[in-house]
Amino acid sequence: MGYRVVVAGATGNVGREVLNILAERQFPLDDIAVLASARSQGDEIDFGETGRKLKVQNIDNFDPKGWDMAIFAIGSDATKVHAPRFAAAGCTVIDNSSLYRMDPDVPLIVPEVNPEAIDGYRAKNIIANPNCSTAQMVVALKPLHDAAKIKRVVVATYQSVSGAGKAGMDELFEQSRNIFVGDSAEAKKFTKQIAFNVIPHIDSFLDDGSTKEEWKMVVETKKILDPKIKVTATCVRVPVFVGHSEAINIEFENEISAKQAQSILREAPGVMLVDKREDGGYVTPVECVGDYATFISRVREDSTVDNGLSLWCVSDNLRKGAALNAVQIAELLGRRHLKKAA
């Protein structure tokens, strides 16, 4: 016996990746429905590499009654309309948008970090998936926090254009091509040229000068990991198609050496430590694409503070940052609460 699962936003980057991962991990399915807007109705999309084709249905007309869970990758505006409708029909929503992340009645889950928090899902029958840059960072921070208690985190991100969807990927490709042939590299999706450039601006600006992306990293880390941790972030868009990178500086309450941290991270769930102090002894975004792990490299002590460490963190943002984490939440929900699969 398996689950009846809906994937909403199935034609987008994250939705397609959800389908790939459900197939790869052989998620126990009795039935699957793929939804999108009316303009995609009737289209067929692949269910991973199974050879099976799935016909897209219009989310506006879909009846969620009798379905166990729905993975949403449809943006906040559409989620605001459809998530309460699905939840009220008894279909648990796992939402990739930012809409419910800071709702106190909605658990914000990274299964390797705070699996027990999922027990609060019944308040609204909705579970939130964190921001992509937050998800990979807290996977790295959790085992270190358990060992030496984190006081403060300073993070600079190097975020790929796929975080801005297909339009972001298209703009990087088109601008790069245009520059090579001498054509205009006009910015449309991004605020400035992204090809051969970096942009220290993701999402809208807030009154204090930070961006909403930076704010998300702060408040989501506190909600998922520990409200006492101080976090400051600078989020930067870089000309990489897939894979977010982060330079993370951590200050601890208790003493911890780089060697101890390496040993802890080597055994941590969801983490792959690749940290050789030699040419190429670290992971870059190109190498993480298509992988489930959060890769950690360049672990070293920071002598400018007591009990400080710095490290490099890389992950496929379409996977751990979105689709994989959502599927892991679905697996956790099944194991811990629904218990339909053998």
Side-chain angles (χ1 to χ4, degrees):
M1 188 178 182
Y3 299 97
R4 302 188 76 213
V5 176
V6 176
V7 178
T11 57
N13 285 346
V14 173
R16 288 179 186 274
E17 202 62 38
V18 167
L19 292 172
N20 290 338
I21 293 169
L22 287 169
E24 285 173 19
R25 293 171 77 92
Q26 298 182 326
F27 188 88
L29 291 168
D30 270 0
D31 199 2
I32 184 165
V34 291
L35 313 182
S37 63
R39 67 178 177 271
S40 298
Q41 185 174 352
D43 291 353
E44 288 192 338
I45 53 177
D46 294 322
F47 183 38
E49 295 182 1
T50 63
R52 184 178 170 191
K53 297 280 189 182
L54 303 172
K55 188 165 283 190
V56 178
Q57 300 179 57
N58 184 349
I59 190 171
D60 295 329
N61 303 331
F62 186 78
D63 182 1
K65 191 172 182 181
W67 292 81
D68 295 303
M69 55 182 93
I71 298 175
F72 273 36
I74 55 176
S76 294
D77 291 342
T79 296
K80 194 172 187 178
V81 174
H82 295 292
R85 181 169 73 85
F86 275 62
C91 179
T92 303
V93 174
I94 299 167
D95 179 32
N96 271 285
S97 83
S98 61
L99 185 64
Y100 291 104
R101 288 177 190 158
M102 298 315 297
D103 187 321
D105 292 327
V106 174
L108 181 64
I109 302 295
V110 177
E112 299 94 332
V113 177
N114 62 337
E116 69 290 337
I118 202 171
D119 296 346
Y121 84 97
R122 288 192 178 95
K124 286 192 173 176
N125 207 21
I126 297 171
I127 304 163
N129 206 28
N131 187 38
C132 47
S133 46
T134 305
Q136 69 185 70
M137 184 171 77
V138 296
V139 168
L141 295 181
K142 166 65 173 173
L144 300 175
H145 183 55
D146 288 346
K149 201 165 187 185
I150 295 171
K151 288 172 59 178
R152 181 172 183 256
V153 175
V154 180
V155 58
T157 71
Y158 307 75
Q159 293 179 229
S160 66
V161 294
S162 57
K166 183 178 182 297
M169 298 177 78
D170 288 346
E171 184 149 316
L172 174 57
F173 177 81
E174 288 165 10
Q175 283 184 357
S176 301
R177 181 185 58 193
N178 289 350
I179 287 167
F180 275 121
V181 299
D183 288 345
S184 168
E186 181 186 353
K188 296 174 185 173
K189 174 66 179 176
F190 299 113
T191 55
K192 298 202 177 203
Q193 175 185 314
I194 185 60
F196 310 100
N197 197 18
V198 298
I199 305 171
H201 174 196
I202 301 177
D203 213 324
S204 55
F205 275 99
L206 305 178
D207 290 343
D208 67 354
S210 62
T211 64
K212 197 171 180 184
E213 185 82 358
E214 292 157 355
W215 173 82
K216 288 175 194 172
M217 290 196 75
V218 174
V219 295
E220 291 176 20
T221 300
K222 288 173 175 287
K223 182 173 179 178
I224 294 166
L225 197 55
D226 188 335
K228 294 178 183 175
I229 294 175
K230 295 178 179 179
V231 183
T232 182
T234 301
C235 293
V236 183
R237 190 72 73 190
V238 298
V240 170
F241 283 105
V242 179
H244 286 357
S245 305
E246 297 171 350
I248 307 173
N249 180 265
I250 314 162
E251 186 178 354
F252 297 87
E253 285 193 13
N254 303 313
E255 189 174 345
I256 183 170
S257 68
K259 193 170 182 180
Q260 286 172 316
Q262 288 170 322
S263 179
I264 290 164
L265 290 166
R266 196 172 283 115
E267 303 300 322
V271 171
M272 180 70 72
L273 181 74
V274 180
D275 193 13
K276 298 175 183 176
R277 295 177 180 181
E278 60 187 42
D279 291 354
Y282 42 81
V283 174
T284 61
V286 168
E287 298 156 279
C288 80
V289 174
D291 207 298
Y292 289 150
T294 295
F295 292 91
I296 306 297
S297 308
R298 303 288 322 280
V299 180
R300 60 207 187 276
E301 287 158 29
D302 175 7
S303 61
T304 67
V305 294
D306 293 334
N307 310 323
L309 291 176
S310 293
L311 54 83
W312 176 250
C313 175
V314 178
S315 193
D316 182 332
N317 56 293
L318 296 179
R319 291 211 151 204
K320 187 55 192 170
L324 172 62
N325 201 72
V327 173
Q328 288 177 309
I329 291 171
E331 292 169 343
L332 178 64
L333 178 67
R335 284 196 309 272
R336 201 167 173 114
H337 291 285
L338 304 185
K339 299 180 180 177
K340 287 179 69 174

